[in-house]
PDB file of all heavy atoms in Angstrom:
ATOM      1  N   MET A 189      11.332  10.670   6.261  1.00  0.00           N
ATOM      2  CA  MET A 189      11.868  10.116   5.022  1.00  0.00           C
ATOM      3  C   MET A 189      12.550  11.202   4.195  1.00  0.00           C
ATOM      4  O   MET A 189      12.050  12.303   4.086  1.00  0.00           O
ATOM      5  CB  MET A 189      10.721   9.524   4.200  1.00  0.00           C
ATOM      6  CG  MET A 189      11.229   8.790   3.002  1.00  0.00           C
ATOM      7  SD  MET A 189       9.946   8.457   1.802  1.00  0.00           S
ATOM      8  CE  MET A 189       9.005   9.925   1.807  1.00  0.00           C
ATOM      9  N   LEU A 193      15.470   9.002  -0.525  1.00  0.00           N
ATOM     10  CA  LEU A 193      14.818   7.689  -0.481  1.00  0.00           C
ATOM     11  C   LEU A 193      13.600   7.680  -1.397  1.00  0.00           C
ATOM     12  O   LEU A 193      13.389   6.740  -2.150  1.00  0.00           O
ATOM     13  CB  LEU A 193      14.410   7.314   0.937  1.00  0.00           C
ATOM     14  CG  LEU A 193      13.701   5.955   0.970  1.00  0.00           C
ATOM     15  CD1 LEU A 193      14.717   4.823   0.801  1.00  0.00           C
ATOM     16  CD2 LEU A 193      12.901   5.756   2.220  1.00  0.00           C
ATOM     17  N   PRO A 215       5.644 -10.121   5.168  1.00  0.00           N
ATOM     18  CA  PRO A 215       5.723  -9.261   6.355  1.00  0.00           C
ATOM     19  C   PRO A 215       6.274 -10.042   7.539  1.00  0.00           C
ATOM     20  O   PRO A 215       6.527 -11.251   7.433  1.00  0.00           O
ATOM     21  CB  PRO A 215       4.264  -8.862   6.591  1.00  0.00           C
ATOM     22  CG  PRO A 215       3.481 -10.029   6.085  1.00  0.00           C
ATOM     23  CD  PRO A 215       4.275 -10.598   4.929  1.00  0.00           C
ATOM     24  N   ARG A 216       6.447  -9.381   8.680  1.00  0.00           N
ATOM     25  CA  ARG A 216       6.836 -10.098   9.893  1.00  0.00           C
ATOM     26  C   ARG A 216       5.714 -11.056  10.291  1.00  0.00           C
ATOM     27  O   ARG A 216       4.544 -10.816   9.985  1.00  0.00           O
ATOM     28  CB  ARG A 216       7.076  -9.108  11.043  1.00  0.00           C
ATOM     29  CG  ARG A 216       8.306  -8.244  10.892  1.00  0.00           C
ATOM     30  CD  ARG A 216       8.700  -7.652  12.248  1.00  0.00           C
ATOM     31  NE  ARG A 216       7.556  -7.244  13.038  1.00  0.00           N
ATOM     32  CZ  ARG A 216       7.182  -5.966  13.237  1.00  0.00           C
ATOM     33  NH1 ARG A 216       7.869  -4.978  12.695  1.00  0.00           N
ATOM     34  NH2 ARG A 216       6.147  -5.685  13.990  1.00  0.00           N
ATOM     35  N   GLN A 219       2.708  -9.644  11.889  1.00  0.00           N
ATOM     36  CA  GLN A 219       1.916  -8.717  11.078  1.00  0.00           C
ATOM     37  C   GLN A 219       0.965  -9.444  10.131  1.00  0.00           C
ATOM     38  O   GLN A 219       0.167  -8.793   9.447  1.00  0.00           O
ATOM     39  CB  GLN A 219       2.847  -7.821  10.241  1.00  0.00           C
ATOM     40  CG  GLN A 219       3.746  -6.928  11.068  1.00  0.00           C
ATOM     41  CD  GLN A 219       4.812  -6.260  10.217  1.00  0.00           C
ATOM     42  OE1 GLN A 219       5.265  -6.813   9.209  1.00  0.00           O
ATOM     43  NE2 GLN A 219       5.218  -5.069  10.619  1.00  0.00           N
ATOM     44  N   ARG A 220       1.061 -10.774  10.084  1.00  0.00           N
ATOM     45  CA  ARG A 220       0.307 -11.523   9.077  1.00  0.00           C
ATOM     46  C   ARG A 220      -1.206 -11.369   9.223  1.00  0.00           C
ATOM     47  O   ARG A 220      -1.942 -11.497   8.248  1.00  0.00           O
ATOM     48  CB  ARG A 220       0.689 -13.004   9.113  1.00  0.00           C
ATOM     49  CG  ARG A 220       2.026 -13.255   8.460  1.00  0.00           C
ATOM     50  CD  ARG A 220       2.456 -14.694   8.632  1.00  0.00           C
ATOM     51  NE  ARG A 220       3.726 -14.933   7.995  1.00  0.00           N
ATOM     52  CZ  ARG A 220       3.859 -15.415   6.764  1.00  0.00           C
ATOM     53  NH1 ARG A 220       2.802 -15.691   6.055  1.00  0.00           N
ATOM     54  NH2 ARG A 220       5.058 -15.586   6.256  1.00  0.00           N
ATOM     55  N   TYR A 222      -2.750  -8.744   9.644  1.00  0.00           N
ATOM     56  CA  TYR A 222      -3.216  -7.450   9.129  1.00  0.00           C
ATOM     57  C   TYR A 222      -3.417  -7.429   7.620  1.00  0.00           C
ATOM     58  O   TYR A 222      -4.045  -6.519   7.094  1.00  0.00           O
ATOM     59  CB  TYR A 222      -2.205  -6.341   9.481  1.00  0.00           C
ATOM     60  CG  TYR A 222      -1.987  -6.167  10.961  1.00  0.00           C
ATOM     61  CD1 TYR A 222      -0.714  -5.985  11.468  1.00  0.00           C
ATOM     62  CD2 TYR A 222      -3.059  -6.178  11.836  1.00  0.00           C
ATOM     63  CE1 TYR A 222      -0.501  -5.814  12.830  1.00  0.00           C
ATOM     64  CE2 TYR A 222      -2.866  -6.011  13.193  1.00  0.00           C
ATOM     65  CZ  TYR A 222      -1.585  -5.834  13.688  1.00  0.00           C
ATOM     66  OH  TYR A 222      -1.386  -5.674  15.026  1.00  0.00           O
ATOM     67  N   VAL A 223      -2.807  -8.371   6.939  1.00  0.00           N
ATOM     68  CA  VAL A 223      -2.853  -8.343   5.470  1.00  0.00           C
ATOM     69  C   VAL A 223      -2.969  -9.755   4.919  1.00  0.00           C
ATOM     70  O   VAL A 223      -2.624 -10.716   5.585  1.00  0.00           O
ATOM     71  CB  VAL A 223      -1.572  -7.702   4.859  1.00  0.00           C
ATOM     72  CG1 VAL A 223      -1.681  -6.205   4.804  1.00  0.00           C
ATOM     73  CG2 VAL A 223      -0.325  -8.166   5.560  1.00  0.00           C
ATOM     74  N   GLY A 267      -3.702  -3.289   0.395  1.00  0.00           N
ATOM     75  CA  GLY A 267      -2.693  -4.335   0.212  1.00  0.00           C
ATOM     76  C   GLY A 267      -1.262  -3.880   0.373  1.00  0.00           C
ATOM     77  O   GLY A 267      -0.362  -4.458  -0.239  1.00  0.00           O
ATOM     78  N   LEU A 268      -1.043  -2.881   1.206  1.00  0.00           N
ATOM     79  CA  LEU A 268       0.339  -2.407   1.397  1.00  0.00           C
ATOM     80  C   LEU A 268       1.114  -3.414   2.246  1.00  0.00           C
ATOM     81  O   LEU A 268       0.746  -3.688   3.388  1.00  0.00           O
ATOM     82  CB  LEU A 268       0.330  -1.037   2.090  1.00  0.00           C
ATOM     83  CG  LEU A 268       1.707  -0.464   2.419  1.00  0.00           C
ATOM     84  CD1 LEU A 268       2.493  -0.132   1.150  1.00  0.00           C
ATOM     85  CD2 LEU A 268       1.579   0.771   3.306  1.00  0.00           C
ATOM     86  N   VAL A 269       2.159  -3.943   1.671  1.00  0.00           N
ATOM     87  CA  VAL A 269       3.061  -4.847   2.405  1.00  0.00           C
ATOM     88  C   VAL A 269       4.494  -4.520   2.001  1.00  0.00           C
ATOM     89  O   VAL A 269       4.811  -4.494   0.808  1.00  0.00           O
ATOM     90  CB  VAL A 269       2.816  -6.339   2.068  1.00  0.00           C
ATOM     91  CG1 VAL A 269       3.619  -7.219   3.037  1.00  0.00           C
ATOM     92  CG2 VAL A 269       1.358  -6.709   2.111  1.00  0.00           C
ATOM     93  N   ILE A 270       5.323  -4.266   2.992  1.00  0.00           N
ATOM     94  CA  ILE A 270       6.757  -4.116   2.750  1.00  0.00           C
ATOM     95  C   ILE A 270       7.446  -5.315   3.385  1.00  0.00           C
ATOM     96  O   ILE A 270       7.148  -5.680   4.533  1.00  0.00           O
ATOM     97  CB  ILE A 270       7.301  -2.790   3.354  1.00  0.00           C
ATOM     98  CG1 ILE A 270       6.565  -1.586   2.765  1.00  0.00           C
ATOM     99  CG2 ILE A 270       8.815  -2.682   3.126  1.00  0.00           C
ATOM    100  CD1 ILE A 270       6.660  -1.407   1.265  1.00  0.00           C
ATOM    101  N   ASP A 271       8.316  -5.945   2.627  1.00  0.00           N
ATOM    102  CA  ASP A 271       9.019  -7.125   3.118  1.00  0.00           C
ATOM    103  C   ASP A 271       9.704  -6.809   4.459  1.00  0.00           C
ATOM    104  O   ASP A 271      10.298  -5.732   4.625  1.00  0.00           O
ATOM    105  CB  ASP A 271      10.055  -7.569   2.085  1.00  0.00           C
ATOM    106  CG  ASP A 271      10.593  -8.941   2.409  1.00  0.00           C
ATOM    107  OD1 ASP A 271       9.912  -9.934   2.093  1.00  0.00           O
ATOM    108  OD2 ASP A 271      11.685  -9.007   3.016  1.00  0.00           O
ATOM    109  N   HIS A 274      12.979  -5.039   4.901  1.00  0.00           N
ATOM    110  CA  HIS A 274      13.140  -3.670   4.389  1.00  0.00           C
ATOM    111  C   HIS A 274      12.275  -2.650   5.128  1.00  0.00           C
ATOM    112  O   HIS A 274      12.187  -1.488   4.715  1.00  0.00           O
ATOM    113  CB  HIS A 274      12.820  -3.646   2.886  1.00  0.00           C
ATOM    114  CG  HIS A 274      13.771  -4.474   2.084  1.00  0.00           C
ATOM    115  ND1 HIS A 274      14.996  -4.007   1.677  1.00  0.00           N
ATOM    116  CD2 HIS A 274      13.675  -5.745   1.657  1.00  0.00           C
ATOM    117  CE1 HIS A 274      15.624  -4.964   1.008  1.00  0.00           C
ATOM    118  NE2 HIS A 274      14.848  -6.020   0.983  1.00  0.00           N
ATOM    119  N   GLN A 275      11.636  -3.075   6.210  1.00  0.00           N
ATOM    120  CA  GLN A 275      10.756  -2.148   6.945  1.00  0.00           C
ATOM    121  C   GLN A 275      11.569  -1.168   7.806  1.00  0.00           C
ATOM    122  O   GLN A 275      12.735  -1.403   8.107  1.00  0.00           O
ATOM    123  CB  GLN A 275       9.797  -2.944   7.827  1.00  0.00           C
ATOM    124  CG  GLN A 275       8.784  -3.752   7.031  1.00  0.00           C
ATOM    125  CD  GLN A 275       7.772  -4.470   7.923  1.00  0.00           C
ATOM    126  OE1 GLN A 275       7.632  -4.170   9.103  1.00  0.00           O
ATOM    127  NE2 GLN A 275       7.060  -5.431   7.340  1.00  0.00           N
ATOM    128  N   GLY A 276      10.902  -0.067   8.174  1.00  0.00           N
ATOM    129  CA  GLY A 276      11.504   0.900   9.102  1.00  0.00           C
ATOM    130  C   GLY A 276      12.522   1.829   8.466  1.00  0.00           C
ATOM    131  O   GLY A 276      13.328   2.448   9.164  1.00  0.00           O
ATOM    132  N   ARG A 277      12.468   1.952   7.126  1.00  0.00           N
ATOM    133  CA  ARG A 277      13.403   2.824   6.413  1.00  0.00           C
ATOM    134  C   ARG A 277      12.686   3.900   5.625  1.00  0.00           C
ATOM    135  O   ARG A 277      13.312   4.642   4.876  1.00  0.00           O
ATOM    136  CB  ARG A 277      14.238   1.986   5.434  1.00  0.00           C
ATOM    137  CG  ARG A 277      15.029   0.899   6.076  1.00  0.00           C
ATOM    138  CD  ARG A 277      15.518  -0.116   5.055  1.00  0.00           C
ATOM    139  NE  ARG A 277      16.408   0.493   4.067  1.00  0.00           N
ATOM    140  CZ  ARG A 277      16.893  -0.172   3.005  1.00  0.00           C
ATOM    141  NH1 ARG A 277      16.565  -1.426   2.815  1.00  0.00           N
ATOM    142  NH2 ARG A 277      17.684   0.435   2.157  1.00  0.00           N
ATOM    143  N   GLY A 278      11.363   3.924   5.709  1.00  0.00           N
ATOM    144  CA  GLY A 278      10.614   4.937   4.976  1.00  0.00           C
ATOM    145  C   GLY A 278      10.042   4.456   3.659  1.00  0.00           C
ATOM    146  O   GLY A 278       9.406   5.230   2.930  1.00  0.00           O
ATOM    147  N   ILE A 279      10.226   3.156   3.335  1.00  0.00           N
ATOM    148  CA  ILE A 279       9.748   2.661   2.035  1.00  0.00           C
ATOM    149  C   ILE A 279       8.215   2.613   1.990  1.00  0.00           C
ATOM    150  O   ILE A 279       7.604   2.978   0.982  1.00  0.00           O
ATOM    151  CB  ILE A 279      10.357   1.273   1.733  1.00  0.00           C
ATOM    152  CG1 ILE A 279      11.878   1.387   1.663  1.00  0.00           C
ATOM    153  CG2 ILE A 279       9.800   0.716   0.426  1.00  0.00           C
ATOM    154  CD1 ILE A 279      12.600   0.045   1.612  1.00  0.00           C
ATOM    155  N   GLY A 280       7.595   2.181   3.102  1.00  0.00           N
ATOM    156  CA  GLY A 280       6.132   2.156   3.145  1.00  0.00           C
ATOM    157  C   GLY A 280       5.555   3.548   2.944  1.00  0.00           C
ATOM    158  O   GLY A 280       4.602   3.745   2.179  1.00  0.00           O
ATOM    159  N   THR A 281       6.147   4.517   3.612  1.00  0.00           N
ATOM    160  CA  THR A 281       5.707   5.906   3.452  1.00  0.00           C
ATOM    161  C   THR A 281       5.859   6.350   1.995  1.00  0.00           C
ATOM    162  O   THR A 281       4.929   6.937   1.408  1.00  0.00           O
ATOM    163  CB  THR A 281       6.543   6.829   4.364  1.00  0.00           C
ATOM    164  OG1 THR A 281       6.387   6.377   5.718  1.00  0.00           O
ATOM    165  CG2 THR A 281       6.105   8.277   4.245  1.00  0.00           C
ATOM    166  N   ALA A 282       6.999   6.057   1.400  1.00  0.00           N
ATOM    167  CA  ALA A 282       7.244   6.452   0.016  1.00  0.00           C
ATOM    168  C   ALA A 282       6.259   5.774  -0.939  1.00  0.00           C
ATOM    169  O   ALA A 282       5.781   6.391  -1.895  1.00  0.00           O
ATOM    170  CB  ALA A 282       8.680   6.104  -0.378  1.00  0.00           C
ATOM    171  N   SER A 303      -8.149   1.597   4.623  1.00  0.00           N
ATOM    172  CA  SER A 303      -8.634   1.086   5.909  1.00  0.00           C
ATOM    173  C   SER A 303      -7.576   0.192   6.537  1.00  0.00           C
ATOM    174  O   SER A 303      -6.694  -0.319   5.846  1.00  0.00           O
ATOM    175  CB  SER A 303      -9.948   0.318   5.728  1.00  0.00           C
ATOM    176  OG  SER A 303      -9.742  -0.868   5.001  1.00  0.00           O
ATOM    177  N   TYR A 304      -7.684   0.041   7.850  1.00  0.00           N
ATOM    178  CA  TYR A 304      -6.683  -0.742   8.593  1.00  0.00           C
ATOM    179  C   TYR A 304      -7.272  -1.216   9.912  1.00  0.00           C
ATOM    180  O   TYR A 304      -8.239  -0.645  10.425  1.00  0.00           O
ATOM    181  CB  TYR A 304      -5.417   0.099   8.852  1.00  0.00           C
ATOM    182  CG  TYR A 304      -5.709   1.500   9.333  1.00  0.00           C
ATOM    183  CD1 TYR A 304      -5.963   1.762  10.666  1.00  0.00           C
ATOM    184  CD2 TYR A 304      -5.774   2.554   8.426  1.00  0.00           C
ATOM    185  CE1 TYR A 304      -6.255   3.036  11.101  1.00  0.00           C
ATOM    186  CE2 TYR A 304      -6.066   3.839   8.851  1.00  0.00           C
ATOM    187  CZ  TYR A 304      -6.299   4.071  10.183  1.00  0.00           C
ATOM    188  OH  TYR A 304      -6.613   5.343  10.596  1.00  0.00           O
ATOM    189  N   GLU A 305      -6.648  -2.269  10.434  1.00  0.00           N
ATOM    190  CA  GLU A 305      -7.058  -2.792  11.737  1.00  0.00           C
ATOM    191  C   GLU A 305      -6.679  -1.775  12.813  1.00  0.00           C
ATOM    192  O   GLU A 305      -5.584  -1.203  12.758  1.00  0.00           O
ATOM    193  CB  GLU A 305      -6.318  -4.106  12.040  1.00  0.00           C
ATOM    194  CG  GLU A 305      -6.525  -5.196  11.020  1.00  0.00           C
ATOM    195  CD  GLU A 305      -7.825  -5.964  11.232  1.00  0.00           C
ATOM    196  OE1 GLU A 305      -8.427  -5.833  12.311  1.00  0.00           O
ATOM    197  OE2 GLU A 305      -8.222  -6.675  10.297  1.00  0.00           O
ATOM    198  N   ASN A 308      -3.223  -1.999  14.370  1.00  0.00           N
ATOM    199  CA  ASN A 308      -2.061  -1.949  13.471  1.00  0.00           C
ATOM    200  C   ASN A 308      -1.419  -0.561  13.579  1.00  0.00           C
ATOM    201  O   ASN A 308      -1.561   0.299  12.712  1.00  0.00           O
ATOM    202  CB  ASN A 308      -2.499  -2.242  12.033  1.00  0.00           C
ATOM    203  CG  ASN A 308      -1.315  -2.450  11.104  1.00  0.00           C
ATOM    204  OD1 ASN A 308      -0.165  -2.240  11.491  1.00  0.00           O
ATOM    205  ND2 ASN A 308      -1.602  -2.846   9.872  1.00  0.00           N
ATOM    206  N   THR A 309      -0.706  -0.350  14.671  1.00  0.00           N
ATOM    207  CA  THR A 309      -0.250   1.008  15.011  1.00  0.00           C
ATOM    208  C   THR A 309       0.773   1.571  14.023  1.00  0.00           C
ATOM    209  O   THR A 309       0.786   2.770  13.772  1.00  0.00           O
ATOM    210  CB  THR A 309       0.345   1.041  16.439  1.00  0.00           C
ATOM    211  OG1 THR A 309       1.268  -0.032  16.569  1.00  0.00           O
ATOM    212  CG2 THR A 309      -0.728   0.899  17.481  1.00  0.00           C
ATOM    213  N   THR A 310       1.610   0.702  13.461  1.00  0.00           N
ATOM    214  CA  THR A 310       2.592   1.204  12.480  1.00  0.00           C
ATOM    215  C   THR A 310       1.872   1.793  11.271  1.00  0.00           C
ATOM    216  O   THR A 310       2.171   2.916  10.837  1.00  0.00           O
ATOM    217  CB  THR A 310       3.535   0.071  12.029  1.00  0.00           C
ATOM    218  OG1 THR A 310       4.201  -0.449  13.173  1.00  0.00           O
ATOM    219  CG2 THR A 310       4.565   0.578  11.036  1.00  0.00           C
ATOM    220  N   ALA A 311       0.913   1.031  10.736  1.00  0.00           N
ATOM    221  CA  ALA A 311       0.168   1.522   9.577  1.00  0.00           C
ATOM    222  C   ALA A 311      -0.650   2.758   9.953  1.00  0.00           C
ATOM    223  O   ALA A 311      -0.680   3.752   9.211  1.00  0.00           O
ATOM    224  CB  ALA A 311      -0.748   0.419   9.051  1.00  0.00           C
ATOM    225  N   ARG A 313      -0.149   5.058  12.255  1.00  0.00           N
ATOM    226  CA  ARG A 313       0.692   6.271  12.371  1.00  0.00           C
ATOM    227  C   ARG A 313       1.169   6.744  11.007  1.00  0.00           C
ATOM    228  O   ARG A 313       1.198   7.942  10.725  1.00  0.00           O
ATOM    229  CB  ARG A 313       1.903   5.993  13.262  1.00  0.00           C
ATOM    230  CG  ARG A 313       1.626   6.071  14.742  1.00  0.00           C
ATOM    231  CD  ARG A 313       2.926   6.174  15.514  1.00  0.00           C
ATOM    232  NE  ARG A 313       3.749   4.996  15.346  1.00  0.00           N
ATOM    233  CZ  ARG A 313       3.816   3.993  16.223  1.00  0.00           C
ATOM    234  NH1 ARG A 313       3.090   4.037  17.320  1.00  0.00           N
ATOM    235  NH2 ARG A 313       4.598   2.954  16.013  1.00  0.00           N
ATOM    236  N   LEU A 314       1.571   5.780  10.176  1.00  0.00           N
ATOM    237  CA  LEU A 314       2.072   6.116   8.841  1.00  0.00           C
ATOM    238  C   LEU A 314       1.002   6.895   8.053  1.00  0.00           C
ATOM    239  O   LEU A 314       1.272   7.969   7.504  1.00  0.00           O
ATOM    240  CB  LEU A 314       2.454   4.822   8.114  1.00  0.00           C
ATOM    241  CG  LEU A 314       3.183   4.876   6.773  1.00  0.00           C
ATOM    242  CD1 LEU A 314       3.836   3.511   6.490  1.00  0.00           C
ATOM    243  CD2 LEU A 314       2.284   5.245   5.621  1.00  0.00           C
ATOM    244  N   TYR A 315      -0.214   6.353   8.025  1.00  0.00           N
ATOM    245  CA  TYR A 315      -1.280   7.008   7.264  1.00  0.00           C
ATOM    246  C   TYR A 315      -1.635   8.368   7.875  1.00  0.00           C
ATOM    247  O   TYR A 315      -1.890   9.335   7.153  1.00  0.00           O
ATOM    248  CB  TYR A 315      -2.517   6.110   7.202  1.00  0.00           C
ATOM    249  CG  TYR A 315      -2.302   4.775   6.521  1.00  0.00           C
ATOM    250  CD1 TYR A 315      -2.841   3.601   7.054  1.00  0.00           C
ATOM    251  CD2 TYR A 315      -1.567   4.668   5.345  1.00  0.00           C
ATOM    252  CE1 TYR A 315      -2.655   2.368   6.432  1.00  0.00           C
ATOM    253  CE2 TYR A 315      -1.372   3.444   4.720  1.00  0.00           C
ATOM    254  CZ  TYR A 315      -1.914   2.297   5.274  1.00  0.00           C
ATOM    255  OH  TYR A 315      -1.733   1.080   4.664  1.00  0.00           O
ATOM    256  N   ARG A 317       0.347  10.382   9.492  1.00  0.00           N
ATOM    257  CA  ARG A 317       1.413  11.335   9.120  1.00  0.00           C
ATOM    258  C   ARG A 317       1.220  11.866   7.716  1.00  0.00           C
ATOM    259  O   ARG A 317       1.599  12.989   7.408  1.00  0.00           O
ATOM    260  CB  ARG A 317       2.790  10.651   9.194  1.00  0.00           C
ATOM    261  CG  ARG A 317       3.450  10.672  10.552  1.00  0.00           C
ATOM    262  CD  ARG A 317       4.950  10.410  10.433  1.00  0.00           C
ATOM    263  NE  ARG A 317       5.250   9.167   9.758  1.00  0.00           N
ATOM    264  CZ  ARG A 317       5.312   7.976  10.354  1.00  0.00           C
ATOM    265  NH1 ARG A 317       5.103   7.877  11.657  1.00  0.00           N
ATOM    266  NH2 ARG A 317       5.594   6.881   9.677  1.00  0.00           N
ATOM    267  N   GLU A 330     -12.218  -3.019  10.182  1.00  0.00           N
ATOM    268  CA  GLU A 330     -11.181  -2.026   9.898  1.00  0.00           C
ATOM    269  C   GLU A 330     -11.699  -0.590   9.973  1.00  0.00           C
ATOM    270  O   GLU A 330     -12.850  -0.299   9.628  1.00  0.00           O
ATOM    271  CB  GLU A 330     -10.587  -2.289   8.508  1.00  0.00           C
ATOM    272  CG  GLU A 330      -9.954  -3.672   8.412  1.00  0.00           C
ATOM    273  CD  GLU A 330      -8.937  -3.772   7.301  1.00  0.00           C
ATOM    274  OE1 GLU A 330      -8.960  -2.935   6.379  1.00  0.00           O
ATOM    275  OE2 GLU A 330      -8.086  -4.692   7.376  1.00  0.00           O
TER     276      GLU A 330
HETATM  277  C1  COA B  98       2.839  -0.904   7.562  1.00  0.00           C
HETATM  278  C2  COA B  98       4.101  -1.124   6.718  1.00  0.00           C
HETATM  279  C3  COA B  98       3.729  -1.217   5.258  1.00  0.00           C
HETATM  280  C4  COA B  98       5.057   0.064   6.921  1.00  0.00           C
HETATM  281  O1  COA B  98       6.165  -0.101   6.061  1.00  0.00           O
HETATM  282  P1  COA B  98       7.588   0.552   6.407  1.00  0.00           P
HETATM  283  O2  COA B  98       8.400   0.524   5.172  1.00  0.00           O
HETATM  284  O3  COA B  98       8.162  -0.091   7.613  1.00  0.00           O
HETATM  285  O4  COA B  98       7.125   2.049   6.734  1.00  0.00           O
HETATM  286  P2  COA B  98       8.071   3.284   7.109  1.00  0.00           P
HETATM  287  O5  COA B  98       9.488   2.827   7.206  1.00  0.00           O
HETATM  288  O6  COA B  98       7.757   4.376   6.161  1.00  0.00           O
HETATM  289  O7  COA B  98       7.519   3.689   8.540  1.00  0.00           O
HETATM  290  C5  COA B  98       7.556   2.725   9.593  1.00  0.00           C
HETATM  291  C6  COA B  98       8.302   3.279  10.802  1.00  0.00           C
HETATM  292  O8  COA B  98       9.679   3.453  10.489  1.00  0.00           O
HETATM  293  C7  COA B  98      10.070   4.782  10.823  1.00  0.00           C
HETATM  294  N1  COA B  98      11.120   5.176   9.903  1.00  0.00           N
HETATM  295  C8  COA B  98      10.982   5.549   8.615  1.00  0.00           C
HETATM  296  N2  COA B  98      12.183   5.846   8.092  1.00  0.00           N
HETATM  297  C9  COA B  98      13.085   5.641   9.075  1.00  0.00           C
HETATM  298  C10 COA B  98      14.491   5.759   9.137  1.00  0.00           C
HETATM  299  N3  COA B  98      15.211   6.163   8.097  1.00  0.00           N
HETATM  300  N4  COA B  98      15.086   5.447  10.304  1.00  0.00           N
HETATM  301  C11 COA B  98      14.385   5.031  11.370  1.00  0.00           C
HETATM  302  N5  COA B  98      13.041   4.892  11.369  1.00  0.00           N
HETATM  303  C12 COA B  98      12.413   5.191  10.228  1.00  0.00           C
HETATM  304  C13 COA B  98       8.817   5.580  10.681  1.00  0.00           C
HETATM  305  O9  COA B  98       8.873   6.773  11.409  1.00  0.00           O
HETATM  306  C14 COA B  98       7.821   4.637  11.264  1.00  0.00           C
HETATM  307  O10 COA B  98       7.904   4.666  12.674  1.00  0.00           O
HETATM  308  P3  COA B  98       6.627   4.468  13.629  1.00  0.00           P
HETATM  309  O11 COA B  98       6.099   3.078  13.358  1.00  0.00           O
HETATM  310  O12 COA B  98       7.192   4.627  14.990  1.00  0.00           O
HETATM  311  O13 COA B  98       5.627   5.530  13.253  1.00  0.00           O
HETATM  312  C15 COA B  98       4.861  -2.412   7.155  1.00  0.00           C
HETATM  313  O14 COA B  98       5.056  -2.369   8.551  1.00  0.00           O
HETATM  314  C16 COA B  98       4.133  -3.683   6.781  1.00  0.00           C
HETATM  315  O15 COA B  98       4.304  -4.224   5.679  1.00  0.00           O
HETATM  316  N6  COA B  98       3.302  -4.185   7.729  1.00  0.00           N
HETATM  317  C17 COA B  98       2.579  -5.424   7.501  1.00  0.00           C
HETATM  318  C18 COA B  98       1.425  -5.218   6.528  1.00  0.00           C
HETATM  319  C19 COA B  98       0.497  -4.101   6.983  1.00  0.00           C
HETATM  320  O16 COA B  98       0.127  -4.004   8.130  1.00  0.00           O
HETATM  321  N7  COA B  98       0.077  -3.282   5.992  1.00  0.00           N
HETATM  322  C20 COA B  98      -0.851  -2.209   6.211  1.00  0.00           C
HETATM  323  C21 COA B  98      -2.240  -2.736   6.109  1.00  0.00           C
HETATM  324  S1  COA B  98      -3.439  -1.447   6.320  1.00  0.00           S
END
Side-chain angles (χ1 to χ4, degrees):
M189 187 195 40
L193 179 75
R216 290 198 321 254
Q219 297 169 329
R220 284 174 179 265
Y222 300 137
V223 275
L268 177 66
V269 189
I270 302 300
D271 192 80
H274 296 277
Q275 292 184 15
R277 301 164 62 185
I279 299 170
T281 302
S303 67
Y304 45 83
E305 302 278 346
N308 190 352
T309 49
T310 301
R313 279 196 297 261
L314 188 162
Y315 299 137
R317 273 199 304 274
E330 300 202 340

